[in-house]
Amino acid sequence: MKEIVTEPLIVKSHDVTLDAEYAEWIAEVKHRYRSAQVKAAVKVNAEKLLWNWQMGRDLVQKKAEERWGAGIVEQVSLDLRREFPDSSNFSARNLWYMKQWYLFYTENMEKLKQLVSEMLPSDEYEKKLQHIDDGTEKLKQPVSEFPLPFACVPWGHHVRIVQHSQSIEEALFYIGYTIKEGISRDVLERVMKDNLYNTRGKAPNNFPQHLTPQLAQLAQQVVKENYDFGFATVSHEKYDENELEEALHENITALLLEMGNGFAFLGKQREIIVGGRSRKIDLLFYHIRLRCYVVCELKAKPFEPEYAGKLNFYVNAVDELVKQSDDNPTIGLLICSDMNKADVQWSFKGISTPMGVATYNNIRIKDMLPTQEQLKERMELLKKELKHTKRLINKK
């Protein structure tokens, strides 16, 4: 009889034989588990959203307030919380959000169906929607009138989108952006604050002339018309590019959030040597979805035509010295304090590299400390005020 081992045992790598077949199998097992996690999360979210949609529909179609009184939503909240005390979904405020959500989209159901159908063919949506399989087949039934892409977006995002949007078109834009970019609620609120729906693709650029149609469209969506640098602080109003660059670099996390999803920071003052001469790029990024390098030049002053020529030089240098064969063409991005769009468009003539121009605002000026002389003057004034106050008191 084989002796049973009762002592603690640590299995080491030399106790088993690992080969390529094992490595392939364990990788497949991990992938299946991750996929199952994603599918489970999407299904749970989809079912909860469908319930929220139907709750909003019931409150509207049953004309609940007319039938049972103005406090009926609060009463429904009490009844549901009493039955399901562990759920946080049944506050009166949340029930009102459900009604608002349903009403917002169903006031023009035909437009909603048309706009949603235009969203569905996109590859990004199909990758998300493939996780909603037979387990949630009822989502696809026309009777529910529930737009399938909604199931890929968390409830908190839906609430913020409806509160912010002025039209169904705008709301569906932010739903689509959330699905494609996989952004958090905080990032969504930042994107909406930046008014991306109305400003996307507005930055002057020559992308359509030098990129494929699909890549040009994506690049136009990636590059903003204006960047909010409110997280950066400079010492005085007459700051230069070096100080602006340093202020941005000190807040690199905030900078990447402002640049948008997909930007990877590769460094500042990246040196390139051309013709034996050293030159430095202000900021160098790589964009994951565009699959290309992005050369960013900063100017703490309004746009001048010669800036486009310098940026063109840097873009060509990165294309020749850094870009790999499987990378897309490098893109240039000039961010300046102000610009005249006519000047920018004229500056693009004759340039063969893809580039865009944007502005920035909200740079903070650091409160300057008083000098030693100013402190002495203030101390003298304070002493005089105290003496004067004492005299007044003594006279009384």
Side-chain angles (χ1 to χ4, degrees):
M1 180 176 177
K2 188 175 179 181
E3 183 180 354
I4 299 175
V5 178
T6 57
E7 295 296 323
L9 174 66
I10 298 178
V11 178
K12 300 179 181 178
S13 59
H14 62 259
D15 295 321
V16 295
T17 301
L18 304 181
D19 55 15
E21 183 179 352
Y22 174 81
E24 184 177 344
W25 172 66
I26 200 67
E28 181 187 350
V29 169
K30 293 176 182 177
H31 173 74
R32 289 204 307 262
Y33 186 74
R34 291 193 185 99
S35 178
Q37 285 180 310
V38 172
K39 287 183 178 181
V42 172
K43 286 180 183 179
V44 170
N45 183 64
E47 293 291 348
K48 287 183 176 179
L49 287 172
L50 177 59
W51 190 94
N52 290 357
W53 180 266
Q54 292 172 334
M55 184 74 246
R57 180 199 62 192
D58 289 350
L59 291 172
V60 171
Q61 293 184 354
K62 292 181 180 299
K63 299 181 180 179
E65 292 165 86
E66 295 180 22
R67 181 179 298 184
W68 294 299
I72 188 59
V73 172
E74 286 73 16
Q75 181 61 47
V76 172
S77 172
L78 288 172
D79 289 338
L80 290 175
R81 283 190 291 173
R82 187 181 299 114
E83 183 70 20
F84 308 104
D86 295 331
S87 176
S88 60
N89 194 44
F90 302 132
S91 69
R93 175 182 293 183
N94 215 29
L95 295 178
W96 282 116
Y97 286 154
M98 295 172 197
K99 180 179 179 181
Q100 179 188 18
W101 185 44
Y102 179 83
L103 275 174
F104 180 86
Y105 288 108
T106 57
E107 285 181 339
N108 192 333
M109 182 58 76
E110 290 305 315
K111 177 187 284 189
L112 176 64
K113 290 179 180 178
Q114 177 187 346
L115 294 173
V116 169
S117 67
E118 293 172 0
M119 295 171 66
L120 291 176
S122 172
D123 290 341
E124 289 88 349
Y125 298 110
E126 288 181 355
K127 289 177 183 177
K128 297 281 186 179
L129 296 174
Q130 68 184 0
H131 295 308
I132 306 175
D133 54 16
D134 295 339
T136 49
E137 183 64 31
K138 61 184 176 182
L139 287 172
K140 303 174 185 178
Q141 297 173 6
V143 67
S144 70
E145 298 178 340
F146 181 75
L148 194 55
F150 284 18
C152 302
V153 178
W155 172 239
H157 289 56
H158 280 295
V159 172
R160 299 296 188 277
I161 289 171
V162 167
Q163 290 174 337
H164 172 86
S165 301
Q166 301 299 313
S167 65
I168 293 179
E169 290 87 345
E170 183 177 3
L172 291 180
F173 167 80
Y174 287 119
I175 286 175
Y177 189 84
T178 298
I179 295 173
K180 287 187 286 186
E181 302 295 337
I183 57 177
S184 67
R185 194 188 311 175
D186 288 343
V187 175
L188 171 65
E189 290 180 346
R190 188 182 189 90
V191 166
M192 292 192 298
K193 180 183 176 184
D194 291 342
N195 196 21
L196 184 62
Y197 173 71
N198 291 308
T199 61
R200 69 194 191 285
K202 298 292 182 64
N205 64 79
N206 62 1
F207 298 150
Q209 289 76 40
H210 304 297
L211 297 172
T212 63
Q214 184 177 2
L215 198 59
Q217 183 180 13
L218 181 56
Q220 287 174 323
Q221 294 173 358
V222 164
V223 175
K224 297 181 181 180
E225 183 179 22
N226 183 78
Y227 291 87
D228 184 351
F229 288 166
F231 55 84
T233 303
V234 294
S235 61
H236 52 82
E237 291 185 357
K238 295 183 179 180
Y239 61 90
D240 58 14
E241 284 82 14
N242 291 332
E243 188 171 1
L244 173 60
E245 178 187 310
E246 192 61 36
L248 296 177
H249 187 254
E250 288 176 357
N251 298 273
I252 192 64
T253 301
L255 173 61
L256 286 172
L257 284 172
E258 180 58 23
M259 295 300 293
N261 195 33
F263 277 90
F265 181 63
L266 301 183
K268 68 182 182 72
Q269 292 298 299
R270 291 296 295 263
E271 184 180 28
I272 56 173
I273 299 176
V274 180
R277 182 179 173 184
S278 173
R279 294 176 173 83
K280 294 182 178 180
I281 298 171
D282 287 347
L283 301 171
L284 183 62
F285 299 91
Y286 191 88
H287 197 276
I288 308 302
R289 291 185 62 214
L290 288 170
R291 294 188 61 81
C292 73
Y293 289 93
V294 180
V295 174
C296 183
E297 281 291 291
L298 300 171
K299 293 297 177 184
K301 55 188 74 172
F303 175 84
E304 292 291 345
E306 56 264 31
Y307 299 160
K310 184 179 180 181
L311 182 58
N312 179 56
F313 174 85
Y314 285 138
V315 171
N316 282 318
V318 172
D319 266 341
E320 292 294 327
L321 303 175
V322 183
K323 184 176 85 69
Q324 301 297 309
S325 58
D326 56 345
D327 291 324
N328 286 317
T330 303
I331 289 175
L333 174 60
L334 177 70
I335 303 179
C336 50
S337 64
D338 199 5
M339 66 171 157
N340 181 296
K341 291 188 177 181
D343 287 345
V344 174
Q345 293 295 348
W346 276 76
S347 300
F348 285 158
K349 292 183 180 293
I351 288 179
S352 59
T353 57
M355 63 175 63
V357 179
T359 57
Y360 70 88
N361 59 5
N362 292 337
I363 284 286
R364 295 181 295 178
I365 309 299
K366 188 182 299 181
D367 293 330
M368 300 298 292
L369 293 173
T371 64
Q372 189 172 358
E373 289 74 17
Q374 290 173 327
L375 284 172
K376 287 181 178 179
E377 290 178 3
R378 292 180 186 180
M379 288 298 293
E380 291 299 324
L381 286 172
L382 182 57
K383 288 178 181 179
K384 290 179 180 178
E385 289 177 6
L386 287 172
K387 288 181 180 179
H388 180 66
T389 303
K390 286 181 179 179
R391 291 196 196 100
L392 292 175
I393 293 173
N394 291 334
K395 284 182 181 180
K396 291 182 179 179

